[in-house]
Amino acid sequence: MSTPGEPSVDPVDLAARLIRLDSSNPPGAEQECIRLIADLLGRSGVESRVLAADPARPNVIARIAGRGQAPPLLLYGHVDVVPASEGWRHPPFSGALVDGELWGRGALDMKGGLAMLVCAFLRAARAPTPPPGDLLLAVTADEEAGGKLGAAFLVGEHPELFAGVRHAISEFGGYTHHVGGRRLYPIQVAQKSRCLLRLTAHGPSGHPSTPTPQTAIGTLARTLARIDGRRLKAEVTEPVAVMVRAMADGLPSVQAIALKALLRPRLTDLVLRAAGAQAEDLDPLFRDTVVATVLNGGEAANVIPASASALLDCRLLPGHDAHQLKAELEPLLPPGADLEILEHEPSSRPRPDLAMFDLLAGVLREEDPAGHPFPLVSPGMTDARHFDRLGIQTYGCLPMRLEPGLMPKLMHAVDERVPVAALVAGTPAIGRIIDRYNQVTQTVA
């Protein structure tokens, strides 16, 4: 516990300081950010451990002892950010404060949210009464590139640090999502998993002056075109059905009816096609997806290569696995082409644990009484999938009331920024979640 005179930490100031430390991944020089947070913890009287698979890419973890009335609760977030392209109105690593907004790479993903989590953790450390259960904070590296050196390392090499943890708070959710004139608040409870396939085509090699039919590159190109033009079969999974019903409850009747029609398997594809661009965010939640991302073939301009290959980035619905997807794609392959599974992360749980949902929704409604929280299934991935291996249910819930056009539009985009007011109000909201966690465990015990 900290000393009574220890000064508080401001989430806006901390977020700005983190933004000014360029932790773009690649290369992912996160050590300065981790050092900053470890120093804050130490000056607040909280012991922490810095753990790393690569000394230049460390992680930090800390724990506050609780009252023993609830299991431990985990707060976690990452300090790496995606690289910043050109064209920003304010330098991406300036942490500039302009018209009530904090600008910079990571303002939304996720140095702003991380600052809220760290400040809520430090406030709990200073409070006269300990939290209901032990409170853990994990700040990680490498999330933007898969988490191998961050959350995956902590889970794989130090699982004992998370013993007894059932629930966690992190990204992605808790922000205002504007739909049909209504304010919805997604709380991420599930996400798709990822696998990596390699498609290889084979053919006769030779001299390009005397071309032969069915070259490896030609076969690869035709196969990719076939896969690219194929919509994989639609399926309504239970987590998505729960999400869509909850979204519909917060929308006007016309939109609600259209949304619920997606849950009728015979209509799912028809409704998605009819909705077109309006449903582009929902479409990936009803099917596995396959996208070619890397091509390899040939070494010399005057030699026809005997083989050519493509890497396929695939995102799988909850409960699906890479072998199912490979079996679905293989009928599309012509003679001379084959698929192999290179990487396959475990599938996310088919049914998320919603024990904390009502608590989180209640806190969000306190911030915006007209808002409508709903459980979100994300087509992307976060470090939640790594903690899921330990049986830890992550809730993506960083409370932030936002105007239209910020989330998720500006994530990974030029001119990323977050309102100062959202960080200031969101930090005590996380504090209320921490204080009320014993209500959840009593309810589900």
Side-chain angles (χ1 to χ4, degrees), residues 359 363-364 366-367 425 427-437:
L359 165 60
V363 170
L364 290 173
E366 289 171 3
E367 297 299 304
T427 301
I430 294 173
R432 294 198 296 277
I433 293 170
I434 294 169
D435 293 340
R436 299 173 190 176
Y437 181 56

Side-chain angles (χ1 to χ4, degrees), residues 27-79:
E30 298 98 340
Q31 63 266 46
E32 291 300 321
C33 291
I34 295 298
R35 187 178 294 118
L36 169 60
I37 292 172
D39 181 61
L40 285 176
L41 292 169
R43 288 193 289 110
S44 295
V46 179
E47 294 184 3
S48 64
R49 293 181 63 184
V50 175
L51 302 166
D54 176 348
R57 312 284 305 277
N59 311 276
V60 64
I61 186 166
R63 179 188 289 257
I64 300 168
R67 302 194 301 271
Q69 297 178 349
L73 175 65
L74 171 64
L75 312 178
Y76 70 86
H78 62 92
V79 294

Side-chain angles (χ1 to χ4, degrees), residues 413-434:
V414 168
D415 290 343
E416 183 180 355
R417 59 194 184 274
V418 65
V420 167
L423 302 182
V424 171
T427 301
I430 294 173
R432 294 198 296 277
I433 293 170
I434 294 169

